[in-house]
Amino acid sequence: GKRPANRLARETSPYLLLHAHNPVDWYPWGPEAFAKAKAENKPIFLSIGYSSCYWCHVMERESFMDAEIAKALNAGFIAIKVDREERPDVDQVYMTAVQAISGSGGWPMSMFLTPDGRPFYGGTYFPKDEFADLLKGVADAWRDRRPDVEKDANTLSDAVKRASAGPARLVPVPLTRKLGRGGRVALSHQFDPEFGGFGFDPARPKRPKFPEPVNLLYLIDQSRRDRANNVEKADPAPLPMVLRTLDAMARGGIRDHLAGGYHRYSTVRDWSVPHFEKMLYDNAQLAEALVLAFEATGDPRWKAEAEATFAFVEKTMTAPDGLFFSALDAESEGEEGKSYVWTRAEVETVLGPDFPTFAHAYGLDAKPNFEDDRYVLLLPKAIDDPALEARLVPLRARLLAAREKRPAPLLDDKILTSWNALMIAAYAEGGRVLKDDRYKLVAGKAADALLATLTAPDGRLLRTSRAGKARLPAYLEDYAALTLALVKLHAATGDPKRLARARTLADRMIADFSDPKDGGFFYTAGDHEALLARVKDPFDNAVPGANSLAIRALVGLGVATGEPRYLDEAGRALAAFAPSLRDRPSGSPLMLLALEEYLDARPPAQAEPSEPGPLPGAPGVVTARAGAARPAAVGPGEEFEVELALTIKDGYHIYANPAGSDDVIPTVVTLAPGSSAELVGVRYPAGESKVLAASGPGKVAVFEKAAAPVARVRLSPDAPAGLATIPLRVRTQACDDKACLAPMTLEVPVRVEVKPR
């Protein structure tokens, strides 16, 4: 029989309901859990995951169903379970803490907090034995070394607050086309020329590869701009990166070749073996990218691929009222991919004499690519023969019918406002570009149902709904994505009521989420439950960044209504995030796209400025002077050393050399051209290793307060006798914890006595 239910049985999230019969005494996130932790003076164990997360299920089975572990958790801790898709605000805050501890993050997230919510230790998935030891270690530390725990909690909480506040606007960065185009070069450096996609690192070939549709949407827009401006040869050319990626994904195992739609990511570089969950947000954005790729190229392959993705969503992820479910699980019967993979014998049984045709097309002639001699179906090469495609259609249908007799993966049937809005936007774009009224109707029906189901009595949006119960206040991404979807639906249909509703939502968004002091938008509303930090983030992830969506929505609304106040608000947000767009352009491709759209609507009055030199407004943050030359007197052609004393203002750092990341600018000593000497080499001191919000999640090496590189210089053989000035330079970039100043070059004159020949 079933175990007795815990408090999670009263929740609506399928992920929380999966834990409703654990022996762990779970609480949902809320005041009751925190009050109990304070009353009993116990630390909190916070576990965050989501329903289609494979390792979340593994940890649930191994640890949270285990009597001994439950006993330790219930005795020493207050245990809280969170669905990150319902509470992305809680997830963001504590994920920042996990990244600060370990340099990387993921789910399930396992975090230990003080009773007032400050994090002091955590990680992601822990195997059962390791987790049991960890619980004992944390309980001992809480009992015997409380001052150390408090110190860690304060340090980590400060780091989270600094990282969450968004970039500091130290020096304004002008909003220019050049800034908007910056993502092209950055993405071309991350592009995998062999298999498409981004982020391939030869040093880490086993790293998983994600579709990253935000990159594709930005690059498609860049290629459209090249065509509009008659740019013959762009370097790097954006469209080939997009088409290479779409081709490799559409043929790979990340694409479901029987039912349509895309899995969440590939475990290997060539897209052949996926992690099998399917997310609404991926399929929404990929459908839109495919529609726009068809618009850009006229190639019917992308139209067919978009239509197959819409057909999958319609059949599997659409509720009777027209709204869209969140996700399909990766596993069935406790095994990942079980409902999707095949042995040759299984396919042969279903297809009989047609097997060789299918096997040749779908890679069953090659070695098995999945464990236990099984196959993930893929296309070694695209099918461009219409006669062959006509033969394969009924074979795929027969195989799908056989697959549908297998136990199906769990469907997460909750409705999320922002994810639904992304799908509505994709259908609206599909209707507009493919001239298909059916898609416009699907988008309109979903928009009406979403607004009816997820609007609170006071007119504000709600985040999530399931089984007729809508709850939780919506976040910035919900308002922004839905406003943008309605703007796109208006563009596709011309229906004025779509624009009127978009305007109401945008006004609410500005009132509740904008930062009137510094520009940009917070992730949570002004009257939202107070968390450790109020996040303001410029970056795009698997789901587009909330600020990117907000700015695009405001620009679209400003253009469609002719109301300048929406463009004003968009411009203030872009100005707030411009330093981040300059320093990490590949982190916010959709915000770069929003900037381009803003400049279409409101072109810069002045010509674009040239490359910035050393920054005005940043003098004295870093200073450099030279020590005495050693030896003090040097003959022509001889070498000498000089130590440079770099002083860095409190609260700032500069990056060491090497810096430990390609995304930041290391400190480099050079010699000015035209000097009567050459630089033989530089010894840089080792930097201090840190995780910093401004430079991404990994560790980087920095100098704080001071650094003393030593330059080795050789005089030219014909250097005249007397006092010589050798012009050394230091190129560096000063940053605080939130953002960076523009790179600067400091001139350091070195005096040296040249002996007569």
Side-chain angles (χ1 to χ4, degrees), residues 26-228:
W26 289 116
Y27 284 79
W29 180 274
E32 187 191 355
F34 286 95
K36 187 150 170 78
K38 283 185 186 129
E40 298 186 6
N41 189 21
K42 284 181 181 173
I44 287 165
F45 170 66
L46 171 65
S47 175
I48 302 184
Y50 56 100
S51 76
S52 54
C53 154
Y54 175 68
W55 290 103
C56 299
H57 297 324
V58 174
M59 197 159 172
E60 191 263 340
R61 287 193 289 269
E62 282 181 350
S63 291
F64 303 143
M65 285 304 284
D66 181 83
E68 288 304 302
I69 291 221
K71 199 168 136 190
L73 269 172
N74 296 343
F77 302 85
I78 300 300
I80 298 181
K81 195 39 119 167
V82 168
D83 179 344
R84 68 174 291 249
E85 294 168 354
E86 284 195 337
R87 293 299 305 258
D89 55 333
V90 174
D91 181 58
Q92 279 177 344
V93 166
Y94 293 104
M95 184 55 74
T96 305
V98 169
Q99 287 171 331
I101 292 166
S102 63
S104 64
W107 298 275
M109 187 207 303
S110 308
M111 202 77 205
F112 295 92
L113 323 177
T114 61
D116 59 2
R118 287 169 299 140
F120 60 86
Y121 187 72
T124 53
Y125 162 77
F126 291 100
K128 181 176 140 185
D129 295 345
E130 213 177 298
F131 188 54
D133 294 345
L134 178 65
L135 290 177
K136 185 177 177 328
V138 172
D140 291 351
W142 183 256
R143 188 183 62 237
D144 305 331
R145 298 192 300 283
R146 186 73 63 86
D148 295 346
V149 172
E150 285 288 338
K151 190 169 155 237
D152 288 348
N154 288 334
T155 308
L156 204 49
S157 299
D158 289 346
V160 170
K161 286 173 186 160
R162 284 198 306 273
S164 303
R169 291 173 62 186
L170 302 168
V171 176
V173 172
L175 299 178
T176 62
R177 294 286 182 195
K178 184 172 177 198
L179 190 61
R181 286 196 298 269
R184 293 161 77 134
V185 173
L187 289 172
S188 73
H189 291 321
Q190 297 169 17
F191 179 65
D192 179 350
E194 196 173 343
F195 296 107
F198 301 88
F200 174 65
D201 177 355
R204 294 168 63 196
K206 294 243 182 301
R207 210 167 139 190
K209 200 185 252 184
F210 288 80
E212 299 189 70
V214 291
N215 298 344
L216 303 177
L217 292 168
Y218 165 74
L219 291 169
I220 291 170
D221 183 71
Q222 286 292 305
S223 88
R224 184 179 63 74
R225 292 173 185 283
D226 285 352
R227 281 198 308 282

Side-chain angles (χ1 to χ4, degrees), residues 74 125-126 152 154 167 332 348-349 358 410 471 568 646 673 693 721:
N74 296 343
Y125 162 77
F126 291 100
D152 288 348
N154 288 334
S332 47
E348 204 160 357
T349 305
F358 187 89
L410 179 81
R471 54 195 292 265
D568 293 345
L646 308 183

Side-chain angles (χ1 to χ4, degrees), residues 96-417:
T96 305
V98 169
Q99 287 171 331
I101 292 166
S102 63
S104 64
W107 298 275
M109 187 207 303
S110 308
M111 202 77 205
F112 295 92
L113 323 177
T114 61
D116 59 2
R118 287 169 299 140
F120 60 86
Y121 187 72
T124 53
Y125 162 77
F126 291 100
K128 181 176 140 185
D129 295 345
E130 213 177 298
F131 188 54
D133 294 345
L134 178 65
L135 290 177
K136 185 177 177 328
V138 172
D140 291 351
W142 183 256
R143 188 183 62 237
D144 305 331
R145 298 192 300 283
R146 186 73 63 86
D148 295 346
V149 172
E150 285 288 338
K151 190 169 155 237
D152 288 348
N154 288 334
T155 308
L156 204 49
S157 299
D158 289 346
V160 170
K161 286 173 186 160
R162 284 198 306 273
S164 303
R169 291 173 62 186
L170 302 168
V171 176
V173 172
L175 299 178
T176 62
R177 294 286 182 195
K178 184 172 177 198
L179 190 61
R181 286 196 298 269
R184 293 161 77 134
V185 173
L187 289 172
S188 73
H189 291 321
Q190 297 169 17
F191 179 65
D192 179 350
E194 196 173 343
F195 296 107
F198 301 88
F200 174 65
D201 177 355
R204 294 168 63 196
K206 294 243 182 301
R207 210 167 139 190
K209 200 185 252 184
F210 288 80
E212 299 189 70
V214 291
N215 298 344
L216 303 177
L217 292 168
Y218 165 74
L219 291 169
I220 291 170
D221 183 71
Q222 286 292 305
S223 88
R224 184 179 63 74
R225 292 173 185 283
D226 285 352
R227 281 198 308 282
N229 297 324
N230 295 316
V231 175
E232 288 290 314
K233 277 183 90 68
D235 183 32
L239 200 56
M241 289 190 265
V242 174
L243 300 179
R244 182 83 200 86
T245 302
L246 289 178
D247 166 67
M249 289 200 308
R251 290 187 299 103
I254 191 170
R255 153 83 148 87
D256 179 347
H257 291 279
L258 300 183
Y262 286 81
H263 298 292
R264 192 165 80 96
Y265 66 87
S266 173
T267 60
V268 279
R269 178 185 171 198
D270 66 1
W271 306 103
S272 57
V273 179
H275 207 10
F276 288 89
E277 66 265 51
K278 288 181 178 178
M279 312 304 293
L280 179 64
Y281 58 74
D282 283 326
N283 285 286
Q285 294 175 88
L286 287 169
E288 183 173 342
L290 290 160
V291 163
L292 297 176
F294 170 69
E295 186 178 39
T297 61
D299 183 340
R301 180 181 174 195
W302 306 126
K303 177 175 189 251
E305 195 56 46
E307 288 175 333
T309 310
F310 286 132
F312 155 71
V313 169
E314 201 169 324
K315 181 177 173 187
T316 312
M317 300 193 79
T318 305
D321 60 4
L323 290 172
F324 305 107
F325 300 133
S326 293
L328 279 168
D329 221 325
E331 62 171 24
S332 47
E333 303 177 272
E335 192 186 319
E336 194 189 350
K338 187 167 183 185
S339 73
Y340 294 103
V341 298
W342 300 86
T343 61
R344 278 176 62 100
E346 285 170 336
V347 179
E348 204 160 357
T349 305
V350 176
L351 297 182
D354 293 316
F355 173 74
T357 306
F358 187 89
H360 184 65
Y362 284 96
L364 300 173
D365 292 354
K367 284 210 295 283
N369 56 11
F370 200 70
E371 56 238 23
D372 301 331
D373 286 339
R374 288 176 298 173
Y375 289 84
V376 179
L377 299 179
L378 47 77
L379 287 167
K381 55 182 208 292
I383 299 165
D384 42 22
D385 170 5
L388 174 61
E389 173 58 17
R391 281 186 67 191
L392 289 168
V393 171
L395 307 189
R396 289 197 299 259
R398 275 157 59 194
L399 216 48
L400 179 61
R403 191 177 94 182
E404 285 175 343
K405 296 192 176 79
R406 299 172 175 178
L410 179 81
L411 173 72
D412 184 331
D413 59 355
K414 70 175 178 296
I415 306 296
L416 292 171
T417 298

Side-chain angles (χ1 to χ4, degrees), residues 434-624:
L434 307 178
K435 314 265 188 290
D436 188 329
D437 287 343
R438 204 167 44 99
Y439 292 152
K440 295 178 194 175
L441 288 171
V442 172
K445 180 180 176 183
D448 292 337
L450 195 62
L451 288 161
T453 311
L454 283 134
T455 304
D458 66 359
R460 291 162 95 166
L461 289 178
L462 295 167
R463 167 70 176 176
T464 181
S465 141
R466 182 168 176 272
K469 271 170 55 180
R471 54 195 292 265
L472 300 175
Y475 303 99
L476 174 63
E477 77 173 42
D478 298 306
Y479 280 89
L482 186 49
T483 306
L484 181 58
L486 291 169
V487 168
K488 286 184 174 176
L489 192 50
H490 171 260
T493 62
D495 181 348
K497 81 166 186 284
R498 302 300 179 195
L499 209 54
R501 195 60 198 260
R503 179 185 272 171
T504 314
L505 284 175
D507 293 345
R508 185 93 231 187
M509 176 174 85
I510 293 165
D512 288 356
F513 296 90
S514 72
D515 178 348
K517 185 160 99 28
D518 292 328
F521 295 88
F522 293 107
Y523 192 74
T524 50
D527 59 358
H528 190 81
E529 168 195 350
L531 297 171
L532 193 60
R534 195 174 175 207
V535 175
K536 190 166 92 178
D537 175 12
F539 299 116
D540 296 315
N541 290 297
V543 175
N547 271 287
S548 303
L549 291 167
I551 297 165
R552 285 198 77 191
L554 290 168
V555 172
L557 201 53
V559 171
T561 61
E563 280 197 42
R565 66 195 176 93
Y566 295 122
L567 290 174
D568 293 345
E569 198 69 46
R572 290 180 63 244
L574 285 165
F577 295 121
S580 166
L581 293 179
R582 178 197 63 202
D583 297 338
R584 286 185 64 194
S586 63
S588 315
L590 281 193
M591 197 179 287
L592 295 173
L593 196 164
L595 168 62
E596 293 273 27
E597 291 174 333
Y598 173 77
L599 293 174
D600 296 342
R602 188 170 275 185
Q606 75 292 5
E608 293 186 20
S610 59
E611 268 294 295
L615 264 198
V621 174
V622 182
T623 55

